Amino acid sequence: GEEGLQIEVFWNDYIRNEDVYSSQNLPNREKSIEQIVRGIQIGLQNTGEEIVTVRVSRDYEKFSLLIQSLWEEFKDKKIFFDFPDLNPVFLTPEVLQLLASQKRTVISLLPLAVSDRLRNSLNQKITTDELLGIIENIYKHQLKGLKLAFYIGVPGETGEDLEEVKKLLVEINRIAKNSDYDINITVEFFVFLPQPHSIWQWDKLEDLQSLREKVQCLKLNLSFKNMRIGYPDLEKTFLKGVLARGDRKLCSVIYTVWKEELKLVSDENFNFSVWTNAFQQNSIAVDDYIRERKFEDTLAWEHIQMIEKQFLKQARLKVAERNKPLIENDESLSLQPQSETKSNFEDEQNTLYGRKRKIVQKKTTVSLVNSKIRLKWSKGEEVRFTS
């Protein structure tokens, strides 16, 4: 392939971002390190590639041993290993030292939620302080680059959570300025999609306008000379989320788009208005596909047998126990609206993560504080012929 030899190494990672699935209940897909090394050797012999991309699941417990084995086996060969979307907890000082011995290593971390509270909700067992400690070690070992990724639109996300990611990037910028060694830092933002067959399938997909406000807030508040910051294509991502949660009625929408323009459309000239018009022509409301669901609702995809619905429901309730009150655990087992979620968070203890909670004025929307705002006015496609 264009990116070299691709190898995937899994543990029992059937459901991403959740630890409630016991290894007793799932078949073990783990391969021994010897099997992995042998597989890479065969792949290199058959392809002649010099780049090997090794993707490891977020719960792979032998990452350090895997690195040591790969370095011992291929130390005399001109083979470059790339490890995309790493769980930050893998990056111990010992692992970073091993990675630094490969001169052009770029550390790429899996997408994280923007705050400690939301990372706890997604079962991402890494705090801001721990993440900053890892980044300091990356600078000490003089690695070539660092790629950070963050989710926006995680269920229960507030403006205060977005403030946390700003503080994190400010601290990373401080570390970079105090370092004698330059590292290429890239920060990417992605939209969190509550996918079918996951524990989040009942949650609301954040609406497009709200996502636009959040991205605009980030753009106005995040500006660092030594960081490249990338933002998602919101319209494409939002449409992907809608179609993923769709039912048979969306066939007419897809067919309408195909008839009118899809046959000639590529990624370069994607036109979101074609899709919105198709929804309107077929009298289908987009809001029906992004709304929050109740546990007892029949979901369009549940006839596809992947993971039992009850299993996912129990996992989702465990998230509620870990990060109350994302879910109202009552007789109806319905998810709690976000407006109620916010008020319940205010009733938590005044101390979180070992420090006293700051008392700030509550904001109903994402605020643009101390920011310059540039407005751009343009004439839309619909009125292009008017004076």
Side-chain angles (χ1 to χ4, degrees):
E2 295 181 358
E3 298 180 0
L5 183 64
Q6 304 280 323
I7 300 291
E8 294 193 358
V9 181
F10 293 97
W11 196 256
N12 281 321
D13 190 30
Y14 265 55
I15 300 299
R16 198 171 296 173
N17 294 332
E18 190 47 55
D19 66 339
V20 299
Y21 302 99
S22 168
S23 57
Q24 311 175 30
N25 302 325
L26 297 172
N28 196 333
R29 298 185 292 167
E30 178 196 359
K31 291 184 180 296
S32 69
I33 291 178
E34 291 76 15
Q35 287 176 302
I36 296 168
V37 172
R38 179 59 182 158
I40 293 175
Q41 289 173 333
I42 294 172
L44 292 173
Q45 291 170 5
N46 292 338
T47 63
E49 295 285 357
E50 296 182 349
I51 299 176
V52 180
T53 299
V54 183
R55 297 181 181 274
V56 296
S57 61
R58 60 177 291 277
D59 57 354
Y60 185 67
E61 298 177 356
K62 298 182 180 179
F63 185 71
S64 177
L65 294 175
L66 175 62
I67 295 288
Q68 293 176 26
S69 300
L70 291 177
W71 265 225
E72 290 172 5
E73 180 63 32
F74 298 99
K75 62 183 177 181
D76 298 326
K77 299 173 181 156
K78 294 181 179 179
I79 304 298
F80 174 73
F81 288 92
D82 180 30
F83 302 93
D85 298 335
L86 283 177
N87 188 338
V89 300
F90 293 164
L91 300 179
T92 62
E94 295 76 16
V95 167
L96 286 173
Q97 187 171 0
L98 287 169
L99 291 174
S101 64
Q102 185 178 244
K103 299 301 182 184
R104 50 190 181 131
T105 297
V106 175
I107 299 294
S108 174
L109 302 184
L110 58 79
L112 300 169
V114 294
S115 68
D116 284 343
R117 181 179 69 83
L118 293 179
R119 282 193 284 276
N120 182 57
S121 174
L122 296 183
N123 195 36
Q124 296 176 327
K125 300 175 182 178
I126 185 79
T127 66
T128 295
D129 290 340
E130 290 169 341
L131 190 57
L132 289 172
I134 291 170
I135 292 170
E136 286 181 343
N137 281 330
I138 288 174
Y139 271 91
K140 288 178 183 177
H141 289 91
Q142 299 184 0
L143 295 169
K144 181 181 179 182
L146 170 64
K147 294 181 180 179
L148 293 166
F150 296 98
Y151 281 128
I152 61 172
V154 175
E157 186 178 79
T158 66
E160 293 176 0
D161 294 308
L162 294 181
E163 286 293 322
E164 289 299 313
V165 76
K166 177 185 175 181
K167 294 175 184 176
L168 171 61
L169 295 184
V170 167
E171 286 299 308
I172 295 174
N173 188 56
R174 179 189 59 78
I175 294 172
K177 286 183 175 180
N178 293 336
S179 174
D180 297 327
Y181 187 79
D182 289 333
I183 288 180
N184 296 322
I185 301 179
T186 302
V187 179
E188 290 281 347
F189 287 96
F190 298 94
V191 177
F192 184 87
L193 300 178
Q195 295 282 10
H197 308 293
S198 75
I199 65 172
W200 308 101
Q201 64 183 356
W202 294 278
D203 285 270
K204 182 181 185 294
L205 170 63
E206 190 145 4
D207 63 87
L208 193 54
Q209 181 58 34
S210 177
L211 290 171
R212 284 170 176 159
E213 290 176 1
K214 289 184 177 182
V215 168
Q216 185 65 12
C217 176
L218 292 170
K219 287 181 177 180
L220 290 171
N221 287 279
L222 302 181
S223 178
F224 305 99
K225 291 183 178 179
N226 61 341
M227 289 185 195
R228 288 182 297 174
I229 302 180
Y231 298 96
D233 187 325
L234 292 179
E235 292 177 342
K236 282 185 184 179
T237 306
F238 180 76
L239 180 61
K240 177 182 176 181
V242 170
L243 294 178
R245 295 160 64 91
D247 53 19
R248 289 183 176 91
K249 290 189 292 184
L250 288 191
C251 293
S252 59
V253 174
I254 296 172
Y255 182 65
T256 299
V257 174
W258 178 82
K259 281 195 308 180
E260 295 186 2
E261 195 166 340
L262 192 61
K263 288 184 283 188
L264 303 176
V265 168
S266 64
D267 285 342
E268 289 74 21
N269 58 358
F270 172 79
N271 190 347
F272 185 65
S273 64
V274 174
W275 286 91
T276 56
N277 292 337
F279 274 94
Q280 293 173 3
Q281 290 177 30
N282 291 278
S283 302
I284 295 176
V286 174
D287 290 347
D288 290 341
Y289 295 92
I290 69 173
R291 64 179 175 84
E292 188 178 279
R293 315 296 176 91
K294 294 182 178 180
F295 282 128
E296 63 269 22
D297 289 347
T298 300
L299 305 176
W301 51 85
E302 65 182 45
H303 64 285
I304 303 173
Q305 296 299 320
M306 292 185 65
I307 301 171
E308 290 185 11
K309 186 176 180 180
Q310 186 64 26
F311 205 39
L312 293 172
K313 183 164 68 175
Q314 291 173 357
R316 188 65 181 88
L317 289 172
K318 185 168 183 178
V319 175
E321 297 172 5
R322 195 166 60 226
N323 188 19
K324 292 181 180 179
L326 284 179
I327 302 174
E328 179 73 22
N329 189 6
D330 58 8
E331 295 180 358
S332 65
L333 292 177
S334 61
L335 295 182
Q336 193 168 6
Q338 291 187 9
S339 59
E340 295 180 18
T341 300
K342 183 175 180 181
S343 64
N344 282 325
F345 276 121
E346 295 170 2
D347 295 333
E348 289 181 350
Q349 296 178 353
N350 288 328
T351 56
L352 289 174
Y353 315 114
R355 56 186 178 183
K356 195 169 183 179
R357 180 193 287 264
K358 293 181 179 179
I359 300 176
V360 295
Q361 184 178 0
K362 299 299 180 183
K363 306 175 182 65
T364 56
T365 60
V366 178
S367 62
L368 308 177
V369 182
N370 297 328
S371 301
K372 294 182 179 179
I373 299 177
R374 175 179 295 172
L375 300 178
K376 179 181 179 181
W377 182 91
S378 62
K379 185 184 293 184
E381 183 71 14
E382 296 82 357
V383 292
R384 65 187 184 280
F385 297 120
T386 60
S387 61

